[in-house]
Amino acid sequence: MNSLTRAKASELAAAIKQGEVSAVEVAQAHLDRIAEVDGTAEAGVHAFLHVDAESALAAAAVVDQRRAEGDELGPLAGVPLALKDVIVTADMPTTAGSKILEGWRPPYDATITTRMREAGIVILGKTNLDEFAMGSSTENSAFGTTRNPWDLTRIPGGSGGGSAAALAAFEAPLAIGTDTGGSIRQPAAVTGTVGIKPTYGGVSRYGLIACASSLDQAGPCARTVLDAALLHTVIAGHDPLDSTSIAQPVPDVVGAARRGAEGDLTGLRVGVVKELGGEGYQAGVEARFNDAVALLSKLGAEVVEVSCPHFTYGLAAYYLILPSEVSSNLARFDAMRYGLRVGDDGSRSAEEVMSLTRGAGFGAEAKRRIMLGTYALSSGYYDAYYGQAQKVRTLIARDFEAAFAQVDVLVSPTTPTTAFPIGEKVDDPLAMYMNDLCTIPSNLAGNASASFPVGLADEDGLPVGLHVMAPVLADDRLYLVGAAVESAYAAQWGGTLLEQAPALEGIH
């Protein structure tokens, strides 16, 4: 494997800035790595749905030209990135993993796409996902399943499995994911990478194809905490094009990451969530989580148990609120405006064409959630289902408020289990939904949360994630804790978790 593809994003940016390597060389090394290991839906990692080598090399050449002209380069200029294919790009197709948008080229860039381009970040291509970001395994993509680089027979998490797998396979040092109920954090946990869900409204949703608008949040993904912090700084901040965007300064996440790397958490109060553990959690996951909690204490944090009683209702509330918003958001895919159109031969009505198109264009999980949401919002059931779920959402937010009055951050396992075999749960939606048990509460409440790698489960040798939750607009606390944990484990392991995985060298 080329040493450039194993380098951290911060190291690559520094080398480009100093003229030690060109941005074009860095981009080409990652494009070569993608060609080597990504393969197709039938074989390989299959992290990418679309790779645009020409545009990536052109963007890299611009960075090199700017450096030659003496321009001041940003902290991530010239660094390659994998972009989840639910973020619109004017120069590449955006499919949201669905047949109904196959081949669609948006007429504009998302705000975060624009900000990354302006920062000199080189977008390599678009990554695979569960259709319209609905799923926990990337098995719901219309374009084939992504595979976990740690074991190609297992899932890489979802919905953002493509972005996480690209990081773990060393195809890109940075990625963008979106998180509706855990779709950044759960893939990060099962691939041994870092995934951050910022405070809701902290990163613009303009140009993010909506799944559930009150839950969706884009965020940074990386192999190290500092790299994620640097990317967070690029994409975050108020956006007048997004009515839910928060007009507040971006927390100093880079400073927090640097302080955390010093390994001193003295004075930090950490709450272990009582309800997120026990029955149903894999023994190896709980063992690594307990090790991580002991490590936090060793680093100087004060660790206490905290009860958040309404978290146990989070899954049920989420799977009423999310489908209700899905049924509304996906109504726009009607064959009349853009995307797929089926049966328009002049003999059918608009209603018939719409029905045929949606039947052919949406996959089983999208249809399931549309139907569930439409039912929950229907006359006579709205108050009993959707209304009650929103009340539970309020109670969960109050649980967070009460907990954060006692502690600075909350922790739990990110997922109840490690990566499961492809196909194991695809026919059991309820078992699949359980993967988001720990991550859903933060989406319902809108607070910041993240997953950081904390070792391998004893049973299967697969990665385990530590889930850290912080109050609204306290995203910097995630990076403080994550960097401290990362630094301590790096001293034990001799590097990051991914750097200790020789099997990843042999992906083919």
Side-chain angles (χ1 to χ4, degrees):
M1 193 188 308
N2 190 312
S3 61
L4 292 176
T5 60
R6 293 190 70 89
K8 301 176 177 68
S10 56
E11 294 171 343
L12 290 172
I16 291 168
K17 192 172 185 178
Q18 295 300 319
E20 298 169 6
V21 67
S22 72
V24 168
E25 289 175 304
V26 171
Q28 188 62 61
H30 286 86
L31 291 167
D32 291 345
R33 177 67 177 167
I34 293 169
E36 177 188 359
V37 304
D38 205 60
T40 64
E42 288 72 39
V45 176
H46 190 46
F48 284 87
L49 292 180
H50 180 82
V51 177
D52 192 339
E54 184 178 346
S55 292
L57 292 171
V62 170
V63 173
D64 289 335
Q65 182 179 357
R66 286 180 55 205
R67 183 193 171 276
E69 293 172 352
D71 288 357
E72 182 67 25
L73 298 181
L76 290 176
V79 178
L81 176 139
L83 183 61
K84 187 176 182 180
D85 196 27
V86 74
I87 307 290
V88 301
T89 45
D91 59 343
M92 284 180 266
T94 302
T95 68
S98 178
K99 285 286 186 184
I100 210 161
L101 282 178
E102 186 173 12
W104 179 62
R105 286 182 177 263
Y108 68 101
D109 276 340
T111 293
I112 61 174
T113 305
T114 300
R115 288 179 177 176
M116 291 189 297
R117 294 193 201 278
E118 291 173 348
I121 293 173
V122 176
I123 300 173
L124 296 170
K126 308 296 283 294
T127 58
N128 199 12
L129 69 152
D130 288 293
E131 185 177 12
F132 287 103
M134 294 184 229
S136 302
S137 64
T138 318
E139 292 172 287
N140 293 326
S141 171
F143 307 109
T145 301
T146 297
R147 298 171 184 83
N148 192 325
W150 287 81
D151 180 344
L152 295 180
T153 69
R154 294 179 182 258
I155 59 101
S159 64
S163 288
L167 295 172
F170 296 95
E171 296 176 305
L174 297 172
I176 292 291
T178 64
D179 196 305
T180 307
S183 294
I184 287 175
R185 293 160 289 159
Q186 187 249 13
V190 301
T191 58
T193 57
V194 174
I196 313 290
K197 185 202 86 69
T199 295
Y200 180 79
V203 174
S204 173
R205 291 189 304 110
Y206 180 75
L208 191 171
I209 296 175
C211 172
S213 303
S214 74
L215 301 166
D216 298 339
Q217 184 59 70
C221 310
R223 290 196 290 265
T224 71
V225 176
L226 177 59
D227 287 354
L230 291 167
L231 181 55
H232 189 142
T233 301
V234 169
I235 63 175
H238 180 246
D239 178 18
L241 297 175
D242 175 6
S243 62
T244 62
S245 178
I246 300 172
Q248 294 288 335
V250 178
D252 183 14
V253 295
V254 173
R258 296 191 192 281
R259 291 195 306 275
E262 296 172 5
D264 184 4
L265 295 179
T266 301
L268 186 80
R269 300 169 300 165
V270 176
V272 177
V273 181
K274 176 183 175 182
E275 287 74 16
L276 299 180
E279 185 179 353
Y281 287 74
Q282 184 178 324
V285 169
E286 289 212 305
R288 294 294 79 78
F289 171 68
N290 291 334
D291 291 346
V293 171
L295 176 62
L296 291 173
S297 183
K298 184 179 178 182
L299 294 174
E302 176 191 346
V303 179
V304 298
E305 186 176 75
V306 174
S307 179
C308 297
H310 298 100
F311 280 20
T312 55
Y313 306 112
L315 195 71
Y318 175 85
Y319 278 104
L320 284 168
I321 293 169
L322 175 134
S324 297
E325 296 190 20
V326 163
S327 74
S328 175
N329 280 325
L330 267 59
R332 72 192 65 177
F333 301 105
D334 56 6
M336 298 297 117
R337 285 167 279 197
Y338 47 79
L340 182 70
R341 180 178 292 183
V342 175
D344 186 17
D345 58 5
S347 67
R348 294 181 173 90
S349 68
E351 184 178 355
E352 289 173 319
V353 170
M354 187 184 304
S355 178
L356 288 169
T357 299
R358 288 167 68 84
F362 289 134
E365 184 62 25
K367 290 175 182 175
R368 182 181 295 118
R369 298 196 192 193
I370 290 169
M371 289 188 289
L372 179 60
T374 303
Y375 179 81
L377 292 175
S378 61
S379 177
Y381 295 102
Y382 179 96
D383 290 333
Y385 293 109
Y386 183 75
Q388 287 295 101
Q390 290 288 17
K391 290 176 183 177
V392 171
R393 184 178 196 171
T394 299
L395 293 174
I396 289 171
R398 289 175 181 171
D399 278 356
F400 272 117
E401 290 172 12
F404 289 134
Q406 305 172 55
V407 297
D408 299 308
V409 297
L410 297 171
V411 295
S412 75
T414 307
T415 57
T417 70
T418 55
F420 49 86
I422 292 170
E424 183 178 87
K425 300 182 181 180
V426 72
D427 295 321
D428 188 349
L430 293 180
M432 187 74 78
Y433 296 166
M434 292 297 287
N435 289 286
D436 300 329
L437 199 61
C438 300
T439 52
I440 278 172
S442 287
N443 295 91
L444 291 172
N447 60 287
S449 53
S451 180
F452 305 104
V454 291
L456 306 176
D458 296 327
E459 304 95 325
D460 50 28
L462 293 172
V464 174
L466 171 69
H467 190 223
V468 183
M469 297 158 272
V472 169
L473 292 176
D475 303 47
D476 52 322
R477 297 184 195 176
L478 304 176
Y479 291 93
L480 178 72
V481 174
V485 169
E486 177 183 74
S487 179
Y489 277 126
Q492 291 182 27
W493 302 333
T496 65
L497 189 64
L498 282 166
E499 289 169 338
Q500 308 313 305
L504 299 186
E505 292 272 8
I507 296 171
H508 61 279

